[in-house]
Amino acid sequence: MSTSDTPLLAARGLVKTYGTATALGGVDLDVHPGESVAIMGASGSGKTTLLHVLAGIVAPDAGSVTLLTRGASRVVTEMSETDRSRLRREEFGFVFQQGLLLPELTAVENVALPLMLGGHARGAAETHAAQWMAALGLAGLEERRIGQLSGGQAQRVAIARAQVAGAELVFADEPTGALDSGTSAAVMTALLDATLTQGHALVVVTHDPGVAARCSRTIHLRDGHVVDARTADPATAGGAR
Ligand code: ADP
Ligand code: MG
């Protein structure tokens, strides 16, 4: 059986409204192994909502998200909150603009956390975490607190943490939004390499055309709908002025 034709994640007809705001107006999306998908669109177009629905953080009003990993077909949108929470912790990786790192822990403790929450012993978890840190160019920074790292280093710690438990799907929301362009490129390289060399997939929300250009595919959202790139809101690509 060809695996490349089988998506890791299949979303159909996703609808989400908040009061009178249509965050998602019926979105379909397949994410395949080894693929990196950039989600672009103006502020308020539904990017974060889509990412959160795909990742099982937010339940849609209608539509389905199906996960096709581990030889099974699981409908995320029919799972209980408890099961979705376990899924997020054990099978998905997350990198957000502010890395959601715990400032009271050291860098290596932050990276090891998903493994320890998954029941691994501290020593083994930190050894594995240190290997991921080294792979991301963070050797020697294991004992630093998050506040003692640069923005780029902190984002690499977040990437290491997203990868450490072997997540097949990594979700990132503006992961380079707070970084200068040079650091942004390096962090994006680390994120793409870490995800894609393992045949995993990355879904990344970004305003940065440079980030999107590094991904294998870009979808554009406008008012909660996927639109053709050529008709996408010009504000999407223009940035602030
Ligand atoms: P983007 O990430 O593209 O800026 P969002 O997905 O955050 O867009 O938001 C899409 C729309 O849904 C916006 O109109 C926003 O105001 C609304 N929205 C998103 N999240 C919430 C929420 N938790 N409560 C109310 N409205 C929300
Ligand atoms: Mg957003």
Side-chain angles (χ1 to χ4, degrees), residues 18 21-23 41-50 173 205:
Y18 291 103
T22 301
S43 184
S45 60
K47 304 181 298 297
T48 294
T49 304
L50 177 57
D173 195 347
V205 166

Side-chain angles (χ1 to χ4, degrees), residues 16-24 39-52 58 173-174 205 207 221 223-224:
K16 181 72 184 177
T17 57
Y18 291 103
T20 56
T22 301
L24 297 176
I39 302 174
M40 296 193 81
S43 184
S45 60
K47 304 181 298 297
T48 294
T49 304
L50 177 57
L51 194 83
H52 286 181
V58 166
D173 195 347
E174 300 279 2
V205 166
H207 276 106
L221 288 182
D223 298 334

Side-chain angles (χ1 to χ4, degrees), residues 5 26 30 36 54 61 65 67 72 81 97 99 116 133 161-162 177 182 193 209 225 227:
D5 295 340
D30 284 349
S36 48
L54 293 175
D61 300 329
V65 175
L67 187 62
E81 172 52 37
Q97 183 170 341
M116 293 178 62
M133 287 185 65
R161 191 186 54 179
D193 284 355
H225 294 272
V227 294

Side-chain angles (χ1 to χ4, degrees), residues 71-90:
S73 170
R74 291 174 287 170
V75 183
V76 177
T77 39
E78 289 175 0
M79 287 182 182
S80 67
E81 172 52 37
T82 307
D83 286 347
R84 282 189 281 128
S85 162
R86 191 174 45 75
L87 187 68
R88 296 194 299 267
R89 201 172 60 239
E90 295 179 359

Side-chain angles (χ1 to χ4, degrees), residues 101-107 110 144-151 153-154:
L101 299 169
L102 300 174
E104 62 271 26
L105 301 183
T106 64
N110 267 281
R144 296 258 189 111
R145 308 262 161 196
I146 301 309
Q148 299 171 314
L149 299 172
S150 71
Q153 288 167 341

Side-chain angles (χ1 to χ4, degrees), residues 141-196:
L141 301 179
E142 292 82 1
E143 301 308 321
R144 296 258 189 111
R145 308 262 161 196
I146 301 309
Q148 299 171 314
L149 299 172
S150 71
Q153 288 167 341
Q155 280 305 65
R156 287 168 196 244
V157 169
I159 292 166
R161 191 186 54 179
Q163 300 291 343
V164 76
E168 282 171 280
L169 276 152
V170 174
F171 297 94
D173 195 347
E174 300 279 2
T176 62
L179 305 176
D180 64 73
S181 59
T183 309
S184 166
V187 165
M188 212 39 220
T189 299
L191 183 56
L192 285 167
D193 284 355
T195 309
L196 306 181

